[in-house]
Structure formats: C-alpha cells, structure tokens
Amino acid sequence: MSGNLSTNLLHTGDAKFAKRLSGMASIPETLPIYLTSVFAFENASDVDAIYEKDADGYIYSRIASPNADAVSEILAAADGGDKALVFASGMAAITTAILAFVSAGDHIISSPVLYGGVQDFLSNELTRFGIGVTFADILDGDISPYVQANTKLVYTETICNPLMEVPDIAALAASARERGLTLIVDNTFATPVVARPLKLGADAVVYSATKYLGGHSDIVGGAVVGAASIIDRIKRLQILYGGIISPHDAWLLSRSLRTLDLRVRRHSESAAKVAEFLRSHPKAERVFYPGLASSPSHERAKRQFEGELYGGMLSVDFKGDEKTALSLIGALKTIALVPSLAGTATTLSWSARASHRFYSREDRLKLGITDGQLRFSVGLEDAGDIISELSSALEACQ
Ligand SMILES: *Cc1c(COP(=O)(O)O)cnc(C)c1O
C-alpha cells in the first residue's frame, strides 16, 4: 500500500484474504464467524441482483448473515420446517412471530400457564394496540368456547412452564385450522428431540435458544421454525424490528446444536430418574413431570412425544412449602439457584420468585404455582450423583 498509515490501516488485510479464501482448494471444516456488519460490492448491479434475489450474497447483517443462515438451516431440519429464523433472544423471536399474525382489534387465545415474559407481553403490551387475549385451559385441545369473530391466533407451550402440563397439540392444530387460525407453539422445554409440533399440525414453533438449543448458559438467543409462507411473513418483521441474532452468537448456537440430541436424551433420562426418586420421597408433596404415570398430562405426552422422552424439567411442591424450599436451597452443594434453565449442570429455580414473580399471588396460587414450589433443570451429571445430593440435602432440611 502506498498511502499514509491511517489509510494503510484501512486498506490491507481482510478483503484480500476473503477473496483468496473463496478461491482456495480447501474450505474451513466449520463455518468461520463472519463478524461483519455489512458487505462490500464491486459494482452497483450486484446490489440490485441480491435485492432482487437474482444472485446469492449478503448486504447487511440486520437483514441476514452467513452465520444466522447456517444455524437456521440446522433448526429447520431439526423441526421438519421449510425455513427458520434466529433472533437475539427468545422474547425477540416470540414477540416478532406473534406480531406477524395480529393487528389492532384482533384476539388471541392462550394457555394460562406460560413463560412470565410472554404472559406479560400478551396481557400488558398487546392491550396497548387493542389486541385482546383470553387465557383459558385449552389442554384438551378444545378452543371452541373461547373463539370470537376477531380471533386470529392460538398460543401455547409444548410443556407449560412451570407445571409441566402438556396440551393436545394435534387437537389444537385441528381446531385452529378448521377456523383459519394460526397456532404458535413454544417448544423451548421440549426441543425437537422430545416433540415436533409442526408434525402435529402447528403453524410455527418458537424457541428461547438461550435454553436447551444453546445448552451451555453462554448465549441469549431465539428461533422460529415453520412453513415458508409463515417464515417469510415473520422475516419482514425481523428486518423491521431488528431482532436478528449476532453472527457470534449464531456461531455458538450452531456449535451447540451439533450435540442437541445427545444432551436432551441425557437430560430427559436423568430427569425421569430424579422425578421417580422425588415422587416417593416423604418430604415431597407433589412432583410435576409429564413422564410420571401419575401426571395428568402423561397420556397426552406419551402419545405426542418422541422416543419415550419427557424433557429435563420438573417442579416439586414440598411439605412445609416455603420453609422447606429455603432450607433445601441452603443445604444443596453443587445444585445452584439459577433463575434460568437447560445448562449443562443441574440447577433449580424458585418459580414464585423468578419466572412467575410478576403474577399476582392470587393468580399464581389459582394456577397451582405455590409459594415454595421449586423447578429443577436436571443436568448432564451422573443421575445417581444428582439423586444422592438431593437425598442428603433433603435429609438435612427441616
Ligand atoms: C426463557 C424462555 C423464554 C424467553 O426467552 P429469552 O431467551 O429469555 O428471551 C420464552 N419461553 C420459554 C418457555 C422460556 O423458558
């Protein structure tokens, strides 16, 4: 370079290597992280060609990036959808997906027991736009008592947080389709390893990729998967609202997804053992886990879930309520109080004080989320070790 330092600092390096890389006889085994906000063009007609979809290429990383596209392809395949989109958080994915299907004056039917942030968005944010929501027990799939002339959307979770209830997704999909409504299912707790709501008839599946899809407690992300017509509609809003995932987090998510099947199988198999142990423990009042034959959701889960797996999440009411919960948290050694889920290690969360703290106490208790209920995210440790830690800690608490 023949310019001055400040100029030479700008015009050496990347472009030459990027060009060389594309022409070499070998390619990187894993996709590099394309930490670039924008792409450069040699001539103006190439910009037109990409905008008009006459040529492959990228323009600006809020619209699309190689890393976001790569991870979308993995997710679409995992869930059996045509296409997927990845977002900067689960909330970005869910709010963008919902807003693609409702307008002012419309109405939504939703399960009452949901992730707290989504419940807040439906009850306190959409109302600002004149969008009404009916929260109703739709576990059996019957929405007919709640349908209005302006109903557009039905929203539920595959495994409802934190009581681990499982709705009849096939029945919900059939009754939604019959009325021309869109069914969106949050499959965060199940993942495609445990359940594939698209196969059961849902129109779109949404995720907090912060949880099992990421699986290592190191990224915040979200995703939506569905048919091309559905995803294209949401894509427009992803570009406008700007919720796309960063190239760096998209790369970490791709890395994580390579082991999703192994991880979720192990989480599920260990959770089933922990649930059995707690069910017969004298200090446990009630265990909420769809894999237990005693769960009111067991039949629906067994019919719809893959490979006799029921996920890694369970909740427990203890005899002694809050007092036992507090004392158990103090007595546990490796099982930390972490107000999230789905990391590699076993953790627990206090639903009334974390995910559901914004529900009124009255509403919470009515739904069955008691003051001392603890939610466990069963990790990848040896299941026997998890059980023996729980057993000694329960022994030690009053
Ligand atoms: C965490 C979570 C969300 C929200 O996702 P973020 O990544 O925290 O924005 C939505 N749904 C469920 C079921 C969750 O667990």
Side-chain angles (χ1 to χ4, degrees):
M1 278 303 291
S2 54
N4 289 306
L5 175 65
S6 57
T7 305
N8 289 347
L9 283 174
L10 302 180
H11 294 291
T12 49
D14 287 4
K16 189 176 101 196
F17 287 94
K19 270 183 208 152
R20 261 182 53 194
L21 206 60
S22 62
M24 284 195 303
S26 59
I27 57 164
E29 167 69 354
T30 59
L31 184 70
I33 309 176
Y34 284 80
L35 279 182
T36 184
S37 58
V38 68
F39 292 78
F41 296 84
E42 283 190 353
N43 48 65
S45 61
D46 288 342
V47 181
D48 290 337
I50 291 175
Y51 269 119
E52 297 306 322
K53 301 197 174 0
D54 293 332
D56 268 345
Y58 292 93
I59 299 169
Y60 186 56
S61 297
R62 172 166 51 74
I63 300 173
S65 73
N67 296 102
D69 278 1
V71 72
S72 298
E73 194 175 295
I74 306 173
L75 283 169
D79 257 302
D82 296 336
K83 287 188 183 179
L85 296 172
V86 274
F87 289 81
S89 70
M91 286 306 291
I94 294 165
T95 55
T96 306
I98 290 173
L99 286 168
F101 293 97
V102 288
S103 302
D106 287 344
H107 172 251
I108 298 172
I109 298 170
S110 169
S111 299
V113 185
L114 292 177
Y115 177 74
V118 176
Q119 215 273 348
D120 192 8
F121 174 73
L122 293 177
S123 0
N124 304 315
E125 186 59 15
L126 286 185
T127 45
R128 294 201 303 123
F129 305 99
I131 296 163
V133 183
T134 300
F135 292 101
D137 180 348
I138 49 173
L139 289 171
D140 65 0
D142 184 13
I143 54 171
S144 52
Y146 317 107
V147 176
Q148 303 176 5
N150 57 345
T151 305
K152 290 287 159 57
L153 188 72
V154 181
Y155 186 89
T156 191
E157 297 177 354
T158 321
I159 302 176
C160 298
N161 179 27
L163 297 172
M164 315 307 161
E165 292 165 318
V166 176
D168 190 327
I169 293 170
L172 278 176
S175 47
R177 178 153 316 131
E178 200 175 290
R179 296 171 173 87
L181 313 179
T182 301
L183 172 64
I184 299 183
V185 178
D186 182 336
N187 201 37
T188 299
F189 276 34
T191 81
V193 179
V194 171
R196 316 235 170 93
L198 296 178
K199 197 171 80 179
L200 299 169
D203 296 292
V205 174
V206 292
Y207 288 102
S208 168
T210 315
K211 315 297 167 49
Y212 289 107
L213 303 187
H216 295 69
S217 311
D218 52 10
I219 53 167
V220 174
V224 184
V225 192
S229 59
I230 299 273
I231 296 300
D232 291 345
R233 199 160 153 179
I234 301 169
K235 178 72 195 173
R236 186 181 121 74
L237 294 192
Q238 182 186 47
I239 296 169
L240 289 177
Y241 297 150
I244 200 169
I245 198 167
S246 75
H248 180 263
D249 287 353
W251 184 92
L252 278 170
L253 185 54
S254 294
R255 186 280 322 261
S256 292
L257 287 172
R258 306 297 180 200
T259 56
L260 183 72
D261 186 58
L262 277 175
R263 287 187 287 106
V264 173
R265 273 173 199 284
R266 170 78 164 227
H267 284 296
S268 299
E269 285 160 11
S270 296
K273 293 177 189 161
V274 173
E276 267 310 332
F277 162 76
L278 288 168
R279 192 183 60 83
S280 56
H281 197 283
K283 284 183 181 158
E285 177 79 47
R286 228 182 129 186
V287 179
F288 303 88
Y289 185 66
L292 289 175
S294 57
S295 159
S297 286
H298 183 64
E299 281 310 311
R300 281 191 297 268
K302 198 174 162 64
R303 191 156 27 85
Q304 302 184 93
F305 287 2
E306 308 286 328
E308 301 275 318
L309 300 172
Y310 299 92
M313 299 299 301
L314 56 104
S315 290
V316 188
D317 281 341
F318 289 99
K319 289 177 184 149
D321 206 19
E322 270 190 297
K323 200 166 142 268
T324 311
L326 259 176
S327 145
L328 179 63
I329 290 167
L332 286 166
K333 302 219 155 41
T334 70
I335 302 178
L337 178 63
V338 173
S340 185
L341 59 122
T344 50
T346 300
T347 59
L348 63 81
S349 172
W350 192 321
S351 299
R353 295 194 187 177
S355 56
H356 293 74
R357 75 177 294 135
F358 300 108
Y359 279 65
S360 72
R361 180 164 188 270
E362 192 195 344
D363 285 351
R364 218 181 3 85
L365 293 178
K366 216 187 296 163
L367 292 171
I369 308 166
T370 57
D371 294 334
Q373 191 174 91
L374 297 182
R375 191 188 72 185
F376 290 87
S377 170
V378 176
L380 303 175
E381 302 92 338
D382 178 88
D385 289 342
I386 303 170
I387 290 169
S388 88
E389 175 166 351
L390 281 168
S391 173
S392 340
L394 280 166
E395 201 65 46
C397 63
Q398 297 86 24

